[in-house]
Coordinates of all heavy atoms in Angstrom, one line a residue:
D24 N 152.2 98.4 44.7 CA 151.3 98.8 45.8 C 150.9 97.6 46.6 O 151.8 97.0 47.1 CB 150.1 99.5 45.2 CG 150.4 100.9 44.5 OD1 151.3 101.5 45.1 OD2 149.8 101.2 43.5
E46 N 150.0 72.4 33.3 CA 149.0 73.1 32.5 C 147.7 72.4 32.7 O 146.6 73.1 32.8 CB 149.4 73.1 31.0 CG 150.7 73.9 30.7 CD 150.4 75.4 31.0 OE1 149.3 75.8 31.0 OE2 151.4 76.1 31.1
R53 N 141.1 76.3 37.2 CA 140.3 77.4 36.8 C 138.8 77.1 36.5 O 137.9 77.8 36.8 CB 140.9 78.1 35.6 CG 142.2 78.9 35.9 CD 142.7 79.6 34.7 NE 143.2 78.8 33.6 CZ 144.5 78.5 33.5 NH1 145.4 78.9 34.4 NH2 144.9 77.7 32.6
G60 N 128.4 75.3 37.9 CA 128.3 74.5 39.1 C 129.6 74.5 40.0 O 129.6 73.8 41.1
G61 N 130.6 75.3 39.6 CA 131.8 75.3 40.4 C 131.8 76.5 41.4 O 130.8 77.2 41.5
R67 N 145.8 69.9 46.9 CA 146.5 69.0 47.9 C 148.0 69.2 47.7 O 148.6 68.6 46.8 CB 146.1 67.6 47.7 CG 144.6 67.3 47.7 CD 144.0 67.6 49.1 NE 142.6 67.2 49.1 CZ 141.8 67.3 50.2 NH1 142.2 67.9 51.3 NH2 140.5 66.9 50.2
I108 N 146.3 83.2 60.3 CA 145.0 83.0 61.1 C 145.3 81.9 62.1 O 145.2 80.7 61.8 CB 143.8 82.6 60.2 CG1 143.6 83.7 59.2 CG2 142.6 82.4 61.1 CD1 142.4 83.5 58.3
P138 N 137.3 91.2 47.6 CA 138.2 90.3 46.8 C 137.3 89.3 46.1 O 136.3 88.8 46.6 CB 139.0 89.6 48.0 CG 138.9 90.6 49.1 CD 137.6 91.3 49.0
T141 N 138.9 84.4 48.0 CA 139.6 84.3 49.3 C 140.2 82.9 49.3 O 139.6 81.9 48.8 CB 138.6 84.5 50.5 OG1 139.4 84.5 51.7 CG2 137.5 83.4 50.6
G155 N 137.3 71.9 63.7 CA 137.4 73.0 62.7 C 137.3 72.6 61.3 O 138.0 73.3 60.4
P160 N 128.8 76.9 51.7 CA 127.6 76.8 51.0 C 127.6 77.5 49.6 O 128.3 78.5 49.5 CB 126.6 77.5 51.9 CG 127.5 78.6 52.5 CD 128.9 78.1 52.6
D161 N 126.9 76.9 48.7 CA 126.7 77.5 47.4 C 125.7 78.7 47.5 O 124.5 78.4 47.6 CB 126.3 76.5 46.4 CG 126.2 77.0 44.9 OD1 126.0 78.2 44.8 OD2 126.3 76.2 44.0
L176 N 113.4 91.5 48.6 CA 113.9 92.1 49.9 C 115.4 92.1 50.0 O 116.0 93.1 50.4 CB 113.2 91.5 51.1 CG 111.7 91.7 51.3 CD1 111.2 90.8 52.3 CD2 111.5 93.2 51.8
T180 N 118.9 97.9 49.3 CA 120.0 98.3 50.0 C 119.6 98.6 51.4 O 119.5 99.8 51.8 CB 120.7 99.6 49.3 OG1 119.6 100.6 49.2 CG2 121.2 99.2 48.0
A228 N 111.1 92.7 58.1 CA 110.9 92.0 56.8 C 112.3 91.6 56.2 O 112.5 90.5 55.7 CB 110.2 92.8 55.8
R234 N 117.2 85.6 57.3 CA 117.2 84.3 58.0 C 116.8 83.2 57.1 O 117.3 82.1 57.3 CB 116.2 84.5 59.2 CG 116.8 85.4 60.3 CD 115.9 85.3 61.6 NE 116.3 86.3 62.5 CZ 115.8 87.5 62.7 NH1 114.8 87.9 62.0 NH2 116.3 88.3 63.6
R242 N 121.4 74.3 54.7 CA 120.8 73.1 54.0 C 121.7 72.6 52.9 O 121.8 71.4 52.6 CB 119.4 73.4 53.5 CG 118.7 72.2 53.0 CD 117.2 72.4 53.0 NE 116.8 73.3 51.9 CZ 116.4 72.9 50.7 NH1 116.4 71.7 50.4 NH2 116.0 73.8 49.8
M248 N 137.6 68.5 56.1 CA 138.7 68.9 56.9 C 140.0 69.2 56.1 O 140.4 68.4 55.2 CB 139.1 67.8 57.9 CG 140.1 68.2 59.0 SD 139.4 69.3 60.2 CE 138.2 68.2 61.0
N258 N 135.7 81.1 45.3 CA 135.2 82.2 44.4 C 134.1 82.8 45.2 O 133.0 82.2 45.4 CB 134.7 81.6 43.1 CG 134.2 82.7 42.1 OD1 133.8 83.7 42.5 ND2 134.2 82.3 40.9
L263 N 130.1 81.1 49.9 CA 130.5 81.7 51.2 C 131.4 80.6 51.9 O 131.5 79.5 51.4 CB 129.3 82.0 52.0 CG 128.3 82.9 51.4 CD1 127.1 83.1 52.3 CD2 128.9 84.3 51.0
R266 N 133.6 77.9 59.3 CA 134.3 76.8 59.9 C 133.6 76.4 61.2 O 133.0 77.2 61.9 CB 135.7 77.3 60.4 CG 136.7 76.3 60.8 CD 137.7 76.8 61.8 NE 137.0 77.1 63.1 CZ 137.2 78.2 63.8 NH1 138.1 79.1 63.4 NH2 136.6 78.5 64.9
P277 N 150.1 74.4 73.4 CA 151.0 75.6 73.2 C 150.6 76.4 72.0 O 150.2 75.8 71.0 CB 152.4 75.0 73.1 CG 152.3 73.7 73.7 CD 150.9 73.2 73.5
L285 N 146.9 80.2 56.7 CA 147.4 81.4 56.1 C 146.4 81.9 55.0 O 145.9 81.0 54.2 CB 148.8 81.2 55.4 CG 149.9 80.7 56.3 CD1 151.1 80.4 55.5 CD2 150.2 81.6 57.4
Q286 N 146.0 83.2 55.0 CA 145.0 83.7 54.1 C 145.6 84.6 53.1 O 146.5 85.4 53.4 CB 143.9 84.4 54.9 CG 142.7 84.8 54.0 CD 141.6 85.4 54.9 OE1 141.8 86.1 55.9 NE2 140.4 85.0 54.5
L287 N 145.1 84.4 51.9 CA 145.6 85.3 50.8 C 144.3 85.7 49.9 O 143.5 84.8 49.7 CB 146.6 84.5 49.9 CG 147.0 85.2 48.6 CD1 147.9 86.4 48.9 CD2 147.8 84.2 47.7

Side-chain angles (χ1 to χ4, degrees):
D24 291 323
E46 293 295 341
R53 288 189 289 267
R67 306 290 188 185
I108 301 180
T141 185
D161 185 332
L176 287 165
T180 53
R234 291 190 185 96
R242 187 159 73 90
M248 189 71 68
N258 183 336
L263 305 177
R266 191 209 67 222
L285 304 176
Q286 185 171 41
L287 175 68

